[in-house]
Amino acid sequence: MIPQQVDSKIPPPATIEFEFDGHRVRAESGQSVAGALHAAGEHIVSRSFKYHRPRGLLCMSGRCPNCICTVDGTPNVRICTQAAKPGMIVKSQNAWPSVKFDLLRIFDKLHHFMPVGFYYKRMYKPRWMWPVWEKFIRRIAGLGTINREHGAEGVYDKQNLFTDVAVIGGGVAGLNAALAAAEAGVSVTLIDEQRELGGHLRHDPELAELSRMAAPGRSAFADSPSRTAEGGHPTVGDLIRRVSEHPAITVISSAGVFGCYEGNYLGIQQGQRMIRLRAAQVIVATGCWERPLVFENNDLPGVMLASGVQRLLHLDHCQFPGEAVVVTDNAQGYRVAKQLKAAGTRITAIVDVRDNPPETAEGIPIHQGSQLLGVFHPADSRPEFEGIRVYRGHTVVSARGTRHVGGVVIAPLSGHPRQTLSCRWIVQAVGFTPANSLLYQNGCKLRYDESVDQAIVIQHAPAMYSAGAVNALHDPRDAVLDGQRAGLAAAAALRPQDVELAQRIGQIGLIGRTSPIEREAVASAHYVSPSGAKKKFVCLCEDVTEKDICDAIDEGYSNIETLKRYSTVSMGPCQGKMCQSASIAICARHNGQSIAETGVTTARPPEQPLPLGVLAGRALHFSLVRRTPMHAWHEKAGAKMGDAGNWKRPQVYSSVAQEYEAVRQRVGVIDVSTLGKIDLRGADVVKFLEFIYPNRFANLKVGRVRYGVICDDAGILLDDGTIARLGDERFFLTTTTGNADAIDSWFRWWLAGRPEWDVRMTNVSGSYAAMNLAGPRSREVLKKLTDADLSSDAMPYLAASECTIAGVSAIVLRIGFVGELGYEIHVPSQFGLHVWEAIMEAGREFSIAPFGLEAQRVLRLEKKHLLPGIDTDALSNPLEADLPWIVKLDKEDFIGKESLARAQQRGDRNKLIGFRLSESVIPDLASLVLCDGKLGGRITSCGYSPAVGGTIGLAWVPANLARNGQTIQVQVNGRLIPAVVQDEPFYDPSGSKLKS
Amino acid sequence: MTLPDILHFALVTLHFALLSQTFQKTNQMSFQIDCPNCGCRPVWEYHYSGPSRKRPEGAATERQWAEYLYNRPNIAGEQTEWWYHRSACKLWFLVRRDTRTNLVLETRRFDEAVVPEKSEGAVQSAE
């Protein structure tokens, strides 16, 4: 975990081997793939998106698009943050035949034909050519290839976490913030995208040393036991160790926060896992990205960012053989020059953009903040700067070379005179772009501040803080204090009573910049290099040049948002991390505006490109499966199970015909435990039911059950069920399986608005198992299991009683959904299986058979019983659904009364009817009913009826066709088949079997 | 357009329709609501049921009923609305929320309410 110092002793590393484009590359263990390629002299690692120009390593931090390769079959992996593993197979992308020699480089010469937006301009005329172009473009566009057969390896997963304080970024500010918050007694989660904590300090030993120099008296830890023995601040290694070992801190490394959503809900990608972290407080300490400079051929391999060079030097232990030129406008450039020189590179020159770098009589002071690192003079004889020439007020105009940098052309900012220096490496240290998109995403207000050349937060979103370089505090000494301040503030927000915390925040005090920013109006100053014939890349992802941007602005896309969409600048894999500063600066310059006036494009998640698998990954625990108490029995009996909402229900056991016959001739039993069941008690239950249902309930006697439907205020039929009165103030009612939760919530809602009503409602859906025993011999079966009088006198049709069945107290409703003598038996679910088995045993002498949903559907269809949601939809009212007898408009107010009264006045428009088809085909559901050749209605249920000996069904038809004996036309496979409307049920129209 | 084009177009439209439906069911929003029973819980444990409105009573006109049944106020700003703690305690309660920012300003049980729209006033849209 401790960052590798440049001069520390490294144990001799074990070497491993992996494959790059078919040949073997050796790597030290722990080295990144990119580092190993650099060491092996492989400097072209990819080809650019549009022009297929060679590209080499640039940022080494997983930001830029230059090192994207396919690793072990996974496309678009940034190999600079990927540790080399033995046997890894790395392939370059976007090149044919190979990355070293790419024939598509021809596009680089054809750029005149491919200006910005060329596909809008060139390829729409003639129109018939577009399909041809499209095929061609699809073939060469895009990055990487997905293996369509296997997809990516491994499992994508999700994890939900929560924390008091989330700290995003494990740099010096983030580490201090995490530690300060944790020591204040709250739980902390620290998220860092690199493999190890430390941020910039990992690869800049001088900055790391500087971080210890923060004013010790102001430290948050001054009085805490964690203070170091020698006073002052701990070393970075100590700090990381303390953070890692702190019991209140959870570290999530190699993980990127891709979105910060409302309520401080963070989306985090860690490999193939998505972590959703809910944080009470969020501290954004994401730091900065180094920005590249825009000059001719600035995309050549060998042109690198200073921090990229440092990462290769100190993390991957690579070297830079040959000469290097450093272009800079700040102390970073001088530090890198020194470190490069120490590693054996010859520094040809330092090109300092500033006319007048801060200077003393002796020469140029090289400092970071107010800490003087040394004074550099052109004629300096000290070994670390010997032989280095400094060009002041100069900038880089052009890079020379075709496949790698061979030289550099530099010139004063005026453009002349130019001179060429020979070198192999061009190192850019020209400032930073703050990583503030998470702040924008969560609603913080930022404003561009010219004095520090970056946007600064002027108003934080609730429970959100920023610390360190995003606050333009680049000096590690300032960042230490700023991090501690943010950590304490976040902890204090959670512990408002803690006076000591407030005192400690006061102790830190205001954090000013230890030194002024030395760069002057940098962003624009850099991009004045004279226009030339060669390409100056702004956006490396999409190959957008400075000229493209200027052309787009000239064409009218002058707003930064439209400019982005038209030119595609900042829309590639780096999402503007490399090109945002430059594109804004060029847009501002070309429009004659200031940077602040130009603004920024809107920041939206995801902040980093995400594999779709991460978003789609499994979430098994969210899909609930419900099984009835008799489930195991059904499975053992060979039932084919089907889904009914979350429930598993038997569809069919043996065959529909056999089950049908058992119910009609003998006796059958079906598991109806999935029905919604609600227990209602209280003095006002009758009043409540009268209000909820269009039916009348005041006259329902104790021990009786009634069928009812529920409507909404628009008169639309929502659900049906039975309502049994078990006592004066006690009702037991059922709902359909699918609507159990909806009706539960519907009841609760109406009750919530009537707290004065005495209605106690209990949802007992899961507490009761239920089975429907039906068939001519069902009474004989049930008689064997109970002492209760089951005769038709004592228990007639639509009676409800509480009795003991097989030794278990049960609610028995004599109802007949399937049209036979039948009993719906509800027993406590723990006895469900027992009662079911007892019924099967008692019914054995009558050849009882269990029946499934499919048989039940046929049985109920013969009785013309509708299924809400299948035979009705969001336009069906009970009047039209053939249930006019249910609606009692003479009642006082009930839900839907107004609408139903109006519907009755208006008359039926459509009607649900039963029909008998003249042929024995079975039409698909939703087959059309045609009248006079026009669309008239549709079938909602149909099937073969053994009782009729033909196809029957339910259909919605215009009201004028809903007459008994009327012939309607049903479209089946394009053929019209006549059918006859029938008012009566198809089975037992008088209901004598039901009432027997 | 050729037949395959039409089919392709239909497929894309259907896919988009299904996709947007899926999104409606999943958690696009991530704010939290303070349930009077259970405390602070994420929004996807709840069911939203529209602003609290007064149900027409007595001799309401057809226009009033139509307004109540088929129009929604669609306020950009603070509104008092019904929420249901579907995945937990099954409590219906009122939330005062800023629809622009999803900032929850207040939650309370109906009987704690001191708002003018008393008792019969509240209603649920038929979804």
Side-chain angles (χ1 to χ4, degrees):
Chain A
M1 293 301 272
I2 305 164
Q4 205 69 61
Q5 303 285 320
V6 66
D7 50 358
S8 63
K9 290 270 183 288
I10 316 155
T15 57
I16 53 170
E17 280 194 342
F18 65 94
E19 200 175 282
F20 177 70
D21 274 350
H23 59 266
R24 307 186 75 76
V25 177
R26 292 166 76 87
E28 298 167 14
S29 88
Q31 215 173 19
S32 69
V33 175
L37 291 178
H38 179 92
E42 294 279 356
H43 296 309
I44 302 177
V45 291
S46 73
R47 288 276 169 169
S48 75
F49 182 69
K50 182 174 166 186
Y51 297 125
H52 290 259
R53 291 164 66 97
R55 293 276 162 89
L57 303 177
L58 177 72
C59 78
M60 284 303 293
S61 62
R63 297 296 183 186
C64 78
N66 280 14
C67 67
I68 286 176
C69 285
T70 299
V71 176
D72 290 337
T74 305
N76 300 333
V77 175
R78 286 182 165 92
I79 55 170
C80 62
T81 52
Q82 187 79 32
K85 295 191 192 91
M88 201 177 226
I89 294 174
V90 181
K91 285 188 177 136
S92 56
Q93 298 181 170
N94 208 35
W96 188 84
S98 81
V99 76
K100 286 203 175 108
F101 178 72
D102 184 1
L103 282 177
L104 296 170
R105 178 79 197 264
I106 187 79
F107 291 126
D108 198 18
K109 308 285 175 210
L110 298 177
H111 61 267
H112 287 298
F113 301 99
M114 305 200 303
V116 58
F118 68 97
Y119 30 85
Y120 304 127
K121 293 169 178 166
R122 299 264 187 267
M123 292 176 176
Y124 77 105
K125 258 184 193 174
R127 283 185 74 144
W128 53 266
M129 267 300 282
W130 171 245
V132 182
W133 281 121
E134 193 191 8
K135 278 207 181 87
F136 175 68
I137 292 171
R138 292 238 180 271
R139 186 174 300 234
I140 59 168
L143 284 175
T145 316
I146 291 172
N147 185 335
R148 282 167 190 268
E149 269 161 41
H150 306 293
E153 299 265 320
V155 177
Y156 288 93
D157 220 339
K158 291 198 176 101
Q159 186 177 21
N160 294 298
L161 298 173
F162 57 90
T163 185
D164 288 335
V165 176
V167 181
I168 308 170
V172 62
L175 288 169
N176 277 284
L179 203 55
E183 303 249 302
V186 297
S187 73
V188 177
T189 302
L190 176 64
I191 306 124
D192 189 58
E193 59 179 11
Q194 300 295 331
R195 280 182 281 157
E196 286 169 27
L197 295 175
H200 279 70
L201 306 192
R202 282 174 72 213
H203 54 255
D204 199 327
E206 286 165 66
L207 278 187
E209 195 47 41
L210 201 59
S211 73
R212 301 188 60 201
M213 308 294 173
R218 289 164 66 192
S219 168
F221 313 127
D223 298 310
S224 70
S226 58
R227 191 183 174 196
T228 50
E230 68 271 26
H233 286 261
T235 63
V236 184
D238 281 343
L239 189 63
I240 291 170
R241 194 163 46 241
R242 274 164 54 188
V243 165
S244 313
E245 288 169 0
H246 202 289
I249 302 178
T250 309
V251 177
I252 304 177
S253 51
S254 298
V257 177
F258 61 80
C260 185
Y261 303 87
E262 60 187 12
N264 281 343
Y265 195 55
L266 304 179
I268 304 166
Q269 180 208 352
Q270 188 183 37
Q272 294 187 324
R273 173 182 293 174
M274 174 158 87
I275 300 171
R276 295 181 285 206
L277 174 67
R278 175 78 71 176
Q281 311 279 323
V282 171
I283 299 171
V284 177
T286 39
C288 284
W289 310 304
E290 198 156 36
R291 56 170 78 146
L293 198 54
V294 177
F295 53 89
E296 283 178 21
N297 283 338
N298 60 341
D299 64 330
L300 263 184
V303 178
M304 285 196 71
L305 295 178
S307 52
V309 168
Q310 289 176 315
R311 284 188 171 94
L312 277 175
L313 279 177
H314 302 316
L315 304 180
D316 286 327
H317 318 298
C318 290
Q319 289 182 329
F320 289 82
E323 305 84 35
V325 167
V326 179
V327 53
T328 188
D329 62 5
N330 58 45
Q332 161 99 338
Y334 291 87
R335 280 202 312 275
V336 173
K338 207 168 103 183
Q339 290 163 13
L340 266 176
K341 192 160 165 32
T345 308
R346 212 174 75 74
I347 307 294
T348 310
I350 295 176
V351 180
D352 196 318
V353 180
R354 296 166 294 189
D355 266 336
N356 240 340
E359 198 174 357
T360 61
E362 301 87 49
I364 303 160
I366 301 154
H367 61 226
Q368 176 72 34
S370 61
Q371 171 79 13
L372 197 66
L373 295 181
V375 176
F376 169 65
H377 193 269
D380 204 321
S381 57
R382 286 185 305 158
E384 64 257 46
F385 288 116
E386 193 185 0
I388 301 180
R389 208 178 146 195
V390 172
Y391 294 88
R392 294 186 213 168
H394 276 60
T395 190
V396 171
V397 173
S398 175
R400 288 279 170 86
T402 49
R403 297 167 58 82
H404 196 276
V405 170
V408 60
V409 181
I410 63 168
L413 292 181
S414 60
H416 293 282
R418 298 182 174 201
Q419 51 185 310
T420 305
L421 307 173
S422 160
C423 68
R424 262 181 73 71
W425 309 98
I426 300 175
V427 181
Q428 319 170 73
V430 293
F432 297 89
T433 306
N436 53 20
S437 58
L438 292 173
L439 293 167
Y440 278 112
Q441 274 181 26
N442 210 21
C444 297
K445 301 260 185 302
L446 286 86
R447 189 193 291 147
Y448 179 77
D449 185 339
E450 213 158 285
S451 68
V452 291
D453 188 30
Q454 78 176 54
I456 303 263
V457 183
I458 50 171
Q459 192 194 338
H460 281 97
M464 197 144 193
Y465 308 83
S466 55
V470 276
N471 286 351
L473 296 167
H474 295 275
D475 189 313
R477 287 165 298 178
D478 302 336
V480 165
L481 294 178
D482 199 31
Q484 291 175 358
R485 175 201 53 80
L488 290 176
L494 295 168
R495 311 181 68 178
Q497 313 299 329
D498 198 329
V499 184
E500 199 200 335
L501 262 183
Q503 279 171 351
R504 276 203 256 159
I505 297 173
Q507 203 172 11
I508 290 180
L510 281 177
I511 299 159
R513 275 173 203 94
T514 310
S515 65
I517 301 280
E518 319 150 37
R519 296 174 287 130
E520 341 157 333
V522 233
S524 38
H526 278 314
Y527 307 116
V528 297
S529 56
S531 62
K534 303 224 176 77
K535 297 188 182 75
K536 295 191 269 185
F537 286 94
V538 177
C539 177
L540 294 166
C541 303
E542 303 273 310
D543 272 357
V544 180
T545 63
E546 186 190 32
K547 182 172 176 296
D548 288 333
I549 290 186
C550 296
D551 288 349
I553 294 170
D554 290 341
E555 288 177 39
Y557 300 95
S558 56
N559 182 287
I560 187 75
E561 293 278 6
T562 54
L563 177 67
K564 167 183 163 180
R565 282 152 183 76
Y566 183 64
S567 69
T568 70
V569 67
S570 82
M571 283 169 69
C574 90
Q575 287 290 290
K577 290 176 186 68
M578 293 293 115
C579 55
Q580 194 194 41
S581 302
S583 60
I584 292 172
I586 292 168
C587 182
R589 189 189 73 207
H590 208 73
N591 281 326
Q593 285 177 325
S594 70
I595 302 262
E597 283 166 336
T598 303
V600 290
T601 53
T602 309
R604 297 184 184 89
E607 195 255 1
Q608 279 270 72
L610 282 181
L612 283 175
V614 168
L615 297 175
R618 64 174 184 172
L620 296 174
H621 48 299
F622 289 127
S623 51
L624 180 77
V625 176
R626 301 186 73 181
R627 296 181 182 88
T628 74
M630 292 82 102
H631 185 87
W633 192 97
H634 302 321
E635 284 196 322
K636 219 168 142 191
K640 196 179 125 226
M641 306 300 278
D643 292 336
N646 291 328
W647 290 97
K648 297 283 179 198
R649 294 192 71 178
Q651 300 295 309
V652 60
Y653 295 85
S654 50
S655 82
V656 178
Q658 281 173 24
E659 292 169 20
Y660 173 91
E661 207 218 308
V663 176
R664 288 281 185 247
Q665 305 298 331
R666 308 186 303 273
V667 58
V669 62
I670 180 170
D671 181 356
V672 291
S673 304
T674 59
L675 291 176
K677 306 169 205 82
I678 294 171
D679 184 297
L680 286 172
R681 298 178 195 215
D684 293 318
V685 173
V686 172
K687 194 163 135 194
F688 176 66
L689 292 174
E690 287 273 316
F691 180 68
I692 287 278
Y693 287 88
N695 305 59
R696 203 184 304 283
F697 284 97
N699 61 2
L700 184 67
K701 295 191 185 74
V702 174
R704 299 292 292 172
V705 60
R706 184 167 286 172
Y707 174 77
V709 298
I710 297 173
C711 295
D712 66 9
D713 251 327
I716 301 304
L717 197 154
L718 300 179
D719 194 43
D720 68 355
T722 57
I723 300 92
R725 188 164 195 171
L726 300 177
D728 270 342
E729 297 187 354
R730 186 176 159 219
F731 287 75
F732 177 82
L733 52 92
T734 60
T735 73
T736 59
T737 299
N739 284 330
D741 287 341
I743 296 302
D744 178 44
S745 116
W746 179 251
F747 280 16
R748 284 175 198 276
W749 189 82
W750 287 98
L751 286 171
R754 285 156 186 76
E756 69 278 10
W757 284 14
D758 176 25
V759 177
R760 275 112 53 206
M761 160 176 176
T762 315
N763 186 340
V764 291
S765 299
S767 323
Y768 280 95
M771 53 216 89
N772 186 9
L773 181 67
R777 314 203 72 168
S778 54
R779 184 182 286 125
E780 293 165 67
V781 174
L782 201 57
K783 210 180 264 174
K784 292 170 71 180
L785 298 172
T786 181
D787 299 332
D789 185 356
L790 297 176
S791 69
S792 253
D793 295 333
M795 195 173 180
Y797 179 55
L798 293 181
S801 83
E802 288 177 278
C803 56
T804 307
I805 306 284
V808 178
S809 61
I811 299 169
V812 179
L813 312 174
R814 197 183 148 187
I815 48 178
F817 187 51
V818 297
E820 298 289 345
L821 168 68
Y823 302 89
E824 193 173 279
I825 302 157
H826 296 260
V827 293
S829 54
Q830 64 268 39
F831 301 120
L833 183 61
H834 161 72
V835 175
W836 177 273
E837 282 177 337
I839 287 175
M840 293 308 297
E841 182 57 37
R844 192 190 302 216
E845 60 175 293
F846 308 101
S847 302
I848 193 171
F851 64 104
L853 270 187
E854 287 185 27
Q856 184 183 248
R857 289 214 169 163
V858 178
L859 292 161
R860 66 93 199 178
L861 191 59
E862 288 186 335
K863 289 296 287 179
K864 278 182 66 189
H865 288 153
L866 61 82
L867 295 175
I870 291 176
D871 297 308
T872 70
D873 60 22
L875 294 173
S876 316
N877 68 41
L879 302 172
E880 298 186 337
D882 204 21
L883 300 165
W885 52 272
I886 269 182
V887 182
K888 303 284 191 271
L889 287 172
D890 54 341
K891 279 202 308 180
E892 230 177 276
D893 190 21
F894 64 85
I895 300 167
K897 185 184 177 189
E898 282 295 324
S899 300
L900 288 170
R902 212 144 278 159
Q904 196 183 48
Q905 234 169 35
R906 187 191 60 210
D908 294 342
R909 291 185 289 205
N910 294 294
K911 197 112 186 149
L912 185 67
I913 52 108
F915 68 87
R916 200 184 147 166
L917 208 62
S918 63
E919 290 182 27
S920 60
V921 290
I922 295 179
D924 290 336
L925 289 186
S927 289
L928 303 181
V929 175
L930 299 185
C931 25
D932 304 332
K934 282 187 208 143
L935 176 61
R938 66 188 195 285
I939 292 176
T940 55
S941 290
C942 66
Y944 174 78
S945 159
V948 170
T951 302
I952 58 166
L954 294 174
W956 282 93
V957 298
N960 63 336
L961 294 180
R963 283 189 314 268
N964 196 27
Q966 169 82 36
T967 303
I968 55 170
Q969 307 286 330
V970 180
Q971 194 180 47
V972 184
N973 297 329
R975 223 154 47 84
L976 286 183
I977 298 177
V980 179
V981 176
Q982 183 170 335
D983 276 354
E984 285 185 332
F986 301 99
Y987 177 77
D988 186 28
S990 64
S992 60
K993 288 179 192 278
L994 205 58
K995 291 165 189 165
S996 63
Chain B
M1 290 226 294
T2 60
L3 186 66
D5 288 344
I6 295 167
L7 288 177
H8 181 247
F9 179 72
L11 201 72
V12 168
T13 314
L14 181 74
H15 181 236
F16 186 75
L18 290 176
L19 208 67
S20 55
Q21 222 172 32
T22 317
F23 279 137
Q24 276 163 19
K25 283 178 194 156
T26 55
N27 38 310
Q28 287 183 72
M29 292 179 289
S30 62
F31 63 101
Q32 290 167 301
I33 298 176
D34 217 349
C35 169
N37 279 339
C38 313
C40 198
R41 304 293 303 166
V43 68
W44 45 87
E45 286 189 3
Y46 300 88
H47 171 76
Y48 168 69
S49 187
S52 160
R53 298 185 307 148
K54 193 167 169 57
R55 183 172 181 258
E57 276 175 87
T61 63
E62 199 155 293
R63 179 168 292 278
Q64 282 171 317
W65 271 104
E67 175 69 24
Y68 167 70
L69 285 174
Y70 302 113
N71 287 335
R72 299 286 174 271
N74 199 21
I75 291 165
E78 273 183 35
Q79 82 175 2
T80 304
E81 50 201 28
W82 281 106
W83 285 81
Y84 177 52
H85 204 174
R86 178 180 51 193
S87 309
C89 70
K90 312 271 183 195
L91 178 73
W92 279 103
F93 60 101
L94 293 166
V95 173
R96 197 153 57 80
R97 176 180 66 111
D98 192 321
T99 58
R100 295 162 301 184
T101 57
N102 282 337
L103 207 65
V104 174
L105 305 159
E106 183 193 5
T107 60
R108 56 165 189 255
R109 289 169 195 273
F110 183 85
D111 26 346
E112 294 167 39
V114 273
V115 281
E117 64 260 41
K118 176 88 182 104
S119 185
E120 323 289 318
V123 87
Q124 176 176 38
S125 60
E127 278 167 72

